[in-house]
């Protein structure tokens, strides 16, 4: 999550949706914010305490955390935006990310199908630290009553154009998006990873995202 009081925006960072590039592109704006020294100091103090002080939004905070912690007047006037991704494509990205960055977690997993069945196994102990994309993307943008709180939903599939639109609404010229964490070890078409049964399994697990964001297994 990235908050700018000077430029009046709140970026909600969901995993593996191009958010690292968006965050890095917008982060330099913080240096122009008169509140940045205080934010930086609080961030340092939070880190030194092992984040026991509760004064920092984690990178992948849900928007409801900001709604609860910020004054209502401030929260409501912020331009709040997020980027989301096709759930079937996102899980392929997740598979390659974990295999590349945390291979010890997948010592018992060889294929994508084994990975999905392991990841979505309801009997497996919940392990948020393994991969945040196990969470619903929709949970990052709604309140406790299911109301969408963001003003703009960008899509990974249209990252550059939607980022420019977000910047236009913020009122700034869109900086260049850095290329971050691009996978080079996967096929281009996520659909080739799936059987019909496996696609249905992911579709069932992430049904709220599919409904809210209008995704389909076969792009229209």
């Amino acid at each position: 999550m990235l908050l700018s009081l000077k430029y009046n925006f709140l970026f909600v960072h969901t995993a593996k949706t191009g958010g690292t590039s968006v965050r890095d592109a917008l982060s330099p704006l913080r240096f122009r914010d008169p509140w940045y020294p205080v934010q930086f100091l609080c961030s340092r103090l939070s880190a030194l305490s092992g984040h026991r002080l509760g004064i920092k939004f984690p990178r992948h905070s849900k928007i409801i955390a900001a709604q609860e912690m910020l004054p209502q007047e401030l929260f409501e006037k912020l331009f709040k935006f997020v980027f989301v991704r096709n759930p079937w494509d996102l899980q392929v990205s997740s598979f390659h990310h974990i295999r590349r960055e945390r291979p010890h977690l997948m010592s018992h997993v060889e294929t994508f199908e084994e990975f999905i069945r392991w990841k979505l196994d309801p009997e497996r102990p919940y392990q948020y630290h393994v991969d945040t994309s196990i969470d619903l993307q929709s949970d990052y943008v709604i309140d406790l009553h299911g109301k969408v709180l963001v003003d703009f939903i960008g899509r990974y599939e249209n990252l550059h154009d939607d980022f420019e639109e977000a910047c236009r609404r913020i009122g700034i010229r869109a900086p260049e998006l850095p290329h971050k964490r691009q996978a080079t070890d996967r096929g281009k078409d996520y659909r080739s990873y799936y059987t019909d049964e496996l696609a249905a399994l992911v579709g069932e697990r992430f049904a709220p995202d599919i409904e809210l964001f209008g995704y389909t297994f076969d792009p229209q």
Side-chain angles (χ1 to χ4, degrees):
M1 187 173 287
L2 184 65
L3 170 67
S4 173
L5 298 177
K6 178 178 175 62
Y7 292 95
N8 198 44
F9 71 79
L10 179 71
F11 169 56
V12 181
H13 185 174
T14 54
K16 298 175 184 63
T17 60
T20 299
S21 294
V22 171
R23 184 184 182 91
D24 286 356
L26 295 177
S27 287
L29 296 178
R30 296 181 300 170
F31 302 133
R32 308 174 193 173
D33 195 318
W35 285 99
Y36 176 69
V38 178
Q39 291 175 321
F40 178 81
L41 178 60
C42 288
S43 178
R44 293 293 92 188
L45 290 173
S46 181
L48 288 173
S49 72
H51 301 293
R52 294 182 177 87
L53 301 181
I55 55 176
K56 178 184 177 181
F57 291 127
R59 177 180 293 265
H60 295 298
S61 294
K62 295 176 173 64
I63 196 169
I64 195 171
Q67 184 188 42
E68 292 291 331
M69 294 182 66
L70 295 174
Q72 181 179 359
E73 181 180 358
L74 170 61
F75 179 81
E76 290 181 352
K77 75 175 185 178
L78 291 170
F79 169 63
K80 300 170 282 291
F81 68 106
V82 70
F83 280 85
V84 298
R85 186 172 185 172
N86 184 304
W88 290 279
D89 183 38
L90 188 148
Q91 296 310 314
V92 174
S93 176
S94 167
F95 170 65
H96 287 287
H97 172 79
I98 297 178
R99 189 166 67 174
R100 182 177 62 252
E101 302 291 336
R102 297 168 178 161
H104 62 283
L105 297 176
M106 294 176 60
S107 59
H108 61 296
V109 173
E110 294 185 4
T111 68
F112 177 69
E113 179 169 356
E114 290 175 340
F115 167 75
I116 290 296
R117 294 190 182 280
W118 165 72
K119 182 176 180 178
L120 302 185
D121 182 358
E123 300 299 321
R124 184 176 66 85
Y126 179 68
Q127 294 173 290
Y128 175 82
H129 67 282
V130 170
D131 179 17
T132 56
S133 67
I134 194 173
D135 286 345
L136 293 171
Q137 297 175 78
S138 50
D139 282 351
Y140 281 78
V141 302
I142 60 175
D143 65 13
L144 293 176
H145 305 288
K147 178 183 176 182
V148 174
L149 298 179
V150 294
D151 303 300
F152 177 70
I153 297 174
R155 296 177 183 272
Y156 175 84
E157 297 80 13
N158 197 38
L159 180 61
H160 286 82
D161 288 346
D162 285 355
F163 177 65
E164 289 188 357
E165 174 61 18
C167 289
R168 185 189 69 78
R169 298 197 189 189
I170 292 170
I172 61 172
R173 181 178 179 180
E176 183 177 355
L177 277 174
H179 297 286
K180 295 289 184 178
R181 300 183 180 181
Q182 288 189 322
T184 59
D185 51 358
R186 58 165 287 185
K188 292 183 180 297
D189 191 341
Y190 65 84
R191 291 171 295 184
S192 64
Y193 287 77
Y194 287 91
T195 62
D196 290 345
E197 181 183 0
L198 203 61
L201 182 64
V202 170
E204 180 180 359
R205 173 63 177 82
F206 297 99
D209 292 352
I210 293 164
E211 179 179 359
L212 180 61
F213 304 128
Y215 279 114
T216 60
F217 181 70
D218 292 298
Q220 303 299 315

